[in-house]
Amino acid sequence: MFRSLRLSLRFLLPLALAMLVMAYVTVPIIDSLTLRWFMRDLDIRASTIGRALEEPLLDAVETQAWRRVDPQLERVANDERLLALGVCNVAGDLVRKTRLMPTGLDCRSADRLDESGSMVRLPRGPVHITAIPLRRGDVHGATLLLVHDLSFVERRSQDTRRYVIILFTVLGMLLALISLLVAHMSWRGWVAGVRAMLQGEGVIRPFSQPRPELQPLVGDLRSLLRDIERERRSTDPGMAINWNPEMLRRLLHEQLRGDEILLVSNREPYIHVKSERGIEVQRPASGLVTAVEPVMRACSGTWIAHGSGSADREVVDSRGCLRVPPGEQSYTLRRIWLTEPEERGYYYGFANEGLWPLCHIAHVRPVFRDEDWRQYRRVNERFADAVAQEAKTDDPVVLIQDYHFALLPRMVRERLPRATIITFWHIPWPNPESFGICPWRSEILEGLLGSTILGFHTRYHGRNFLEAVDRFLEARIEHESSTVSFGGRLTRVEAFPISIAWPDGQKGKSIEVCRTEMRTRLGVRPGHLVGLGVDRLDYTKGIVERLLAVERLFELHPEWIGRFTFVQIAAPSRSSLDEYQRFEAQVRATAAQINARFGKDGYEPIRMLIEHHGSTSVTEHYRAADVCVVTSLHDGMNLVAKEYVAARDDERGVLVLSQFAGAARELHEALIVNPYHIEEVAEAMHRALSMPAEEQRERMVSLRQLVREFNVYRWAGRMLMEAARLRQRERISARIGETRGVT
Ligand code: G6P
């Protein structure tokens, strides 16, 4: 408010001053103009009077008989502006004058004047004198002097000056106010637009072009963003590297000196299940697993996770270990067995009914139970024991994943004080008010502050975490270095946006084959357009909103009915929880209702595929779909968006992406939407379906470049480089400490 007042004054004052100066410059010009007009008026008046009095005055001068002429002269002089009259004979003597003739004025003053008269300044004020020669035929007989009072001209000029100054000042203020208002409005628009662009929301707006006033700047702003990124890279060594598995391995050997890696997550990367065909291996639908697995392949080490598959126990050794991936065997998977009460309390209860809804703004109330908390703590302890058992050295690098293990960093620290603990929180972190709902908020914060590095997808979530620490703990926060000092230890809190492993050339089916096969499965013509959603069946993913948007699309643009099908892959998830069962029923009902309304003769506008899909099948769907729609109501990152981009080596297809997914901060060329605004999503789908091939290509090329470069090896590499730096520092300070102890 004060800033805008200051800004207004800074703008208003100079303008008002400029107007004042203009008024002062203008007034003398107006003055001299009006004076000239008055003089001319007076001259015309004087010569009229002269002509009227010419005859009687010449007679009187000749005969010296003034008796009849004097009263006449006084009568004429009895005028508001005419001060006096005088008559001079040919010898130049003032032979007659009216009563108010100013002293000091005589015929010699008249001689000095020409016929047009002039202004003379007398002690009583300025007067204008006109000398009118009186002639009989060609003979000059006398001169009539007319003295006009000019003080009224001065009075009028002063009035004019005052009015002009007031007029200009008011005009100036008005102009300033109007310009200020216009400037303020367009400045706000600009700032909002530019800010949105910088945040990746506004360059390409949901279903419209960039704001018209920003249109000419889009190119420049994009290259500005690139420059900023380049600048950032030059200051962060991890940014400048072209990250790939080989690079990551080199980093481990050279900078971490081959230090061992232990990774902990709840979800395991490979699940062994019993089926009619014997034991099968499944890959879970988990963004975390998708991202982290390629990193583990590159780094080797041991992955500790909950063994949840029905055949998991049958394929492990006595310690619960096996080498994975099947056939490749590049790292060890250590499975932890949980009892039914442990799984219920820790996984379903505290993690998924408590922390999950607490951290996602999806309008589902978190539930906190004492028993769940007890189990959560207990299971975290059990995993901490497993880490300590698996560690071959006393300073391993431990990578702890997600909200299932908020207490683990501290517990590992207690068992392995020299370990480098990198914790990554894969979901959003709420603001302090929301986080404060959790009855065990301090314990959770303290647990996480056992980490050396604590990572979030976005800076915003990192800031929320720091604010929560500030609110609920006695800790020292250094915003400059983004560190928290608590209990004598330092934790670095940083944003590391997660990603996927960029595929090295597509090994699977061609785009054409994928397209044809999908359309055959759907029973539609080759030119039929297809939209795709790929999610776990979770209430945070905005699946119902997405289906409603398809319905709205048909209402707003009926030309798509019969020409467009939306395929929704939904992997069943956490299905023993009531909330998830209710959600599944709602999704099914919505799809059925839309199909009943718009489907006919075998045409089903929405195709729900509620079952587990392997990664090959998902990739084929990506390659076959014209549009991929991600409408999460809240999401840490969302890797479906990045996977779709990676699958489109034909540089075609359009991504519609929720502004509430972390991915929207990076994927600026997607059509960014607010999933709560159904019409907006519907219009974005329409725009995507009608988008010319050239525009699709332009966007896709740019998206692909970004995902290729900012891949998951970069994510892991940057965290590990930071870990290496901190380890180095700790080793040096430990040595200094030892030396000090000796001396
Ligand atoms: C999210 C979480 C992961 C989790 C995944 C699947 O992506 O961040 O930690 O693995 O959902 O959920 P689930 O409960 O099946 O492991």
Side-chain angles (χ1 to χ4, degrees):
M1 150 110 183
F2 281 115
R3 197 142 41 104
S4 78
L5 196 75
R6 252 198 350 248
L7 200 85
S8 313
L9 282 178
R10 233 184 277 160
F11 187 69
L12 264 173
L13 283 179
L15 213 96
L17 259 168
M19 288 314 250
L20 219 68
V21 170
M22 258 171 71
Y24 270 100
V25 172
T26 319
V27 164
I29 300 171
I30 296 178
D31 254 7
S32 89
L33 259 177
T34 44
L35 190 68
R36 227 182 295 154
W37 288 335
F38 279 130
M39 301 274 213
R40 203 175 311 145
D41 272 1
L42 293 180
D43 289 341
I44 295 167
R45 224 164 154 250
S47 93
T48 315
I49 296 172
R51 296 287 80 83
L53 295 176
E54 193 167 39
E55 276 306 316
L57 283 181
L58 283 173
D59 287 349
V61 170
E62 251 176 51
T63 59
Q64 292 297 309
W66 294 99
R67 203 168 38 85
R68 276 184 47 231
V69 177
D70 281 344
Q72 205 176 347
L73 287 177
E74 286 298 343
R75 246 193 334 273
V76 174
N78 188 15
D79 178 274
E80 192 198 341
R81 293 183 201 168
L82 192 57
L83 189 64
L85 292 171
V87 182
C88 305
N89 60 16
V90 279
D93 303 323
L94 183 64
V95 290
R96 226 64 200 162
K97 60 179 183 186
T98 56
R99 209 164 29 88
L100 294 178
M101 174 65 81
T103 45
L105 269 189
D106 53 23
C107 293
R108 263 154 289 283
S109 0
D111 283 348
R112 288 194 295 272
L113 304 170
D114 57 16
E115 202 173 314
S116 65
S118 187
M119 199 177 95
V120 173
R121 221 162 248 293
L122 297 176
R124 66 175 304 284
V127 293
H128 174 261
I129 306 169
T130 323
I132 306 287
L134 306 176
R135 293 190 180 89
R136 186 164 277 143
D138 285 342
V139 185
H140 177 222
T143 301
L144 175 64
L145 279 188
L146 293 105
V147 181
H148 277 100
D149 183 4
L150 278 187
S151 58
F152 81 96
V153 175
E154 285 234 307
R155 275 199 307 278
R156 200 174 278 185
S157 156
Q158 264 168 17
D159 284 351
T160 316
R161 191 173 304 153
R162 199 173 317 126
Y163 288 132
V164 167
I165 289 175
I166 291 174
L167 183 82
F168 268 88
T169 313
V170 170
L171 214 73
M173 298 292 261
L174 259 173
L175 263 175
L177 270 176
I178 292 170
S179 339
L180 196 72
L181 216 72
V182 172
H184 195 63
M185 274 157 60
S186 47
W187 173 248
R188 276 175 58 151
W190 257 69
V191 170
V194 172
R195 189 175 296 155
M197 287 177 79
L198 292 175
Q199 287 172 351
E201 290 164 16
V203 175
I204 289 143
R205 292 195 55 78
F207 50 91
S208 58
Q209 289 296 324
R211 289 175 206 287
E213 69 271 28
L214 291 179
Q215 180 88 54
L217 291 178
V218 170
D220 286 350
L221 280 169
R222 281 220 186 105
S223 67
L224 180 71
L225 283 175
R226 259 177 242 130
D227 287 350
I228 293 172
E229 194 53 53
R230 223 170 284 139
E231 181 85 17
R232 210 155 71 93
R233 280 171 185 221
S234 58
T235 54
D236 180 347
M239 286 297 226
I241 299 168
N242 265 336
W243 286 99
N244 54 37
E246 184 46 39
M247 204 54 231
L248 206 57
R249 271 192 288 271
R250 275 210 348 238
L251 167 76
L252 275 178
H253 283 283
E254 287 165 15
Q255 300 211 29
L256 286 161
R257 298 187 309 173
D259 292 334
E260 60 171 326
I261 295 270
L262 296 168
L263 188 138
V264 186
S265 76
N266 172 70
R267 186 57 66 202
E268 55 183 341
Y270 296 94
I271 309 176
H272 288 85
V273 287
K274 288 178 188 154
S275 77
E276 289 151 6
R277 292 181 294 274
I279 294 178
E280 281 182 0
V281 185
Q282 271 188 6
R283 300 291 309 278
S286 157
L288 179 157
V289 170
T290 309
V292 173
E293 212 269 337
V295 173
M296 274 310 273
R297 279 192 209 204
C299 299
S300 299
T302 303
W303 184 327
I304 305 169
H306 169 212
S308 58
S310 52
D312 270 0
R313 286 173 196 261
E314 297 179 23
V315 292
V316 293
D317 63 17
S318 56
R319 284 176 50 243
C321 294
L322 79 156
R323 295 289 288 174
V324 285
E328 215 174 290
Q329 312 195 331
S330 27
Y331 63 95
T332 301
L333 171 61
R334 157 100 194 255
R335 285 174 170 154
I336 303 290
W337 317 115
L338 298 182
T339 62
E340 197 274 328
E342 279 174 340
E343 190 177 359
R344 189 166 5 100
Y346 140 82
Y347 171 72
Y348 286 110
F350 194 74
N352 285 318
E353 286 189 298
L355 288 180
W356 180 266
L358 179 78
C359 293
H360 288 91
I361 308 169
H363 313 288
V364 170
R365 288 168 72 106
V367 180
F368 293 109
R369 304 179 193 94
D370 280 355
E371 176 54 15
D372 293 349
W373 172 245
R374 257 194 299 280
Q375 295 294 358
Y376 186 82
R377 246 189 0 226
R378 187 183 145 79
V379 172
N380 272 243
E381 291 279 4
R382 289 196 53 206
F383 274 80
D385 289 341
V387 171
Q389 284 162 17
E390 292 301 321
K392 295 183 191 77
T393 59
D394 68 343
D395 63 349
V397 175
V398 186
L399 305 175
I400 297 176
Q401 308 300 309
D402 231 352
Y403 61 100
H404 309 88
F405 295 113
L407 305 180
L408 190 57
R410 187 163 181 198
M411 293 172 173
V412 171
R413 172 78 54 225
E414 282 160 7
R415 287 159 176 80
L416 298 165
R418 297 188 59 228
T420 298
I421 304 171
I422 304 176
T423 306
F424 195 81
W425 195 262
H426 288 256
I427 62 175
W429 187 278
N431 62 42
E433 286 74 28
S434 305
F435 182 69
I437 293 172
C438 178
W440 299 283
R441 59 200 185 195
S442 306
E443 287 89 333
I444 286 176
L445 294 173
E446 286 174 19
L448 287 168
L449 288 178
S451 317
T452 318
I453 296 171
L454 174 58
F456 294 93
H457 291 300
T458 66
R459 276 166 213 265
Y460 179 66
H461 297 150
R463 258 204 315 270
N464 277 351
F465 175 82
L466 291 179
E467 279 172 24
V469 170
D470 196 25
R471 179 97 46 110
F472 303 116
L473 288 188
E474 285 294 322
R476 208 181 72 239
I477 300 173
E478 288 289 342
H479 288 281
E480 189 86 334
S481 56
S482 196
T483 50
V484 181
S485 169
F486 180 72
R489 284 207 61 87
L490 216 61
T491 301
R492 174 112 202 260
V493 179
E494 190 56 85
F496 299 99
I498 208 166
S499 193
I500 54 164
W502 186 256
D504 315 319
Q506 294 289 347
K507 294 185 201 99
K509 295 175 182 164
S510 73
I511 295 272
E512 263 328 297
V513 172
C514 295
R515 286 184 73 86
T516 313
E517 283 184 0
M518 184 194 256
R519 279 151 186 82
T520 313
R521 273 198 306 275
L522 293 174
V524 294
R525 289 187 314 277
H528 193 90
L529 295 187
V530 174
L532 177 69
V534 178
D535 307 85
R536 278 184 309 105
L537 204 39
D538 193 296
Y539 54 78
T540 58
K541 301 294 180 186
I543 301 174
V544 171
E545 287 73 8
R546 192 180 310 167
L547 299 182
L548 293 177
V550 174
E551 181 178 40
R552 195 79 187 110
L553 170 76
F554 289 145
E555 288 167 358
L556 293 170
H557 302 280
E559 68 271 22
W560 292 116
I561 302 171
R563 291 177 54 214
F564 170 67
T565 298
F566 190 80
V567 177
Q568 175 66 52
I569 291 181
S573 179
R574 306 170 194 171
S575 359
S576 15
L577 295 178
D578 290 349
E579 199 63 56
Y580 284 77
Q581 287 169 11
R582 270 199 296 277
F583 180 67
E584 181 175 341
Q586 192 191 359
V587 169
R588 285 186 190 276
T590 312
Q593 186 190 313
I594 298 168
N595 281 340
R597 187 170 164 204
F598 294 103
K600 63 169 187 248
D601 305 333
Y603 165 63
E604 212 182 26
I606 293 185
R607 190 63 67 92
M608 290 298 305
L609 305 175
I610 304 188
E611 61 201 328
H612 183 81
H613 282 69
S615 62
T616 313
S617 162
V618 171
T619 306
E620 285 171 14
H621 278 81
Y622 287 143
R623 286 165 74 72
D626 302 284
V627 184
C628 180
V629 186
V630 175
T631 47
S632 309
L633 303 179
H634 203 189
D635 218 328
M637 172 56 71
N638 194 295
L639 292 180
V640 166
K642 293 188 174 179
E643 284 179 336
Y644 178 64
V645 168
R648 299 316 299 249
D649 53 359
D650 61 336
E651 295 167 352
R652 293 287 296 272
V654 184
L655 175 65
V656 174
L657 178 59
S658 162
Q659 68 188 78
F660 303 123
R665 311 252 151 191
E666 295 177 83
L667 305 181
H668 301 161
E669 276 79 9
L671 298 185
I672 308 292
V673 291
N674 172 359
Y676 288 93
H677 190 181
I678 305 297
E679 273 82 11
E680 186 179 312
V681 182
E683 287 298 353
M685 283 190 196
H686 171 66
R687 181 161 177 221
L689 292 171
S690 338
M691 190 177 285
E694 202 32 57
E695 188 181 342
Q696 290 185 31
R697 179 160 296 119
E698 201 185 304
R699 287 168 185 269
M700 198 44 95
V701 165
S702 168
L703 288 170
R704 283 173 64 79
Q705 192 183 331
L706 185 121
V707 179
R708 186 188 297 121
E709 203 176 325
F710 289 77
N711 55 40
V712 75
Y713 303 111
R714 179 183 296 272
W715 171 77
R718 283 185 59 224
M719 286 196 292
L720 290 174
M721 272 181 84
E722 185 64 20
R725 200 175 60 80
L726 296 173
R727 276 167 88 92
Q728 182 80 2
R729 219 167 61 179
E730 264 173 30
R731 278 175 185 149
I732 292 171
S733 29
R735 250 179 249 146
I736 294 170
E738 274 166 26
T739 324
R740 280 210 191 108
V742 171
T743 51

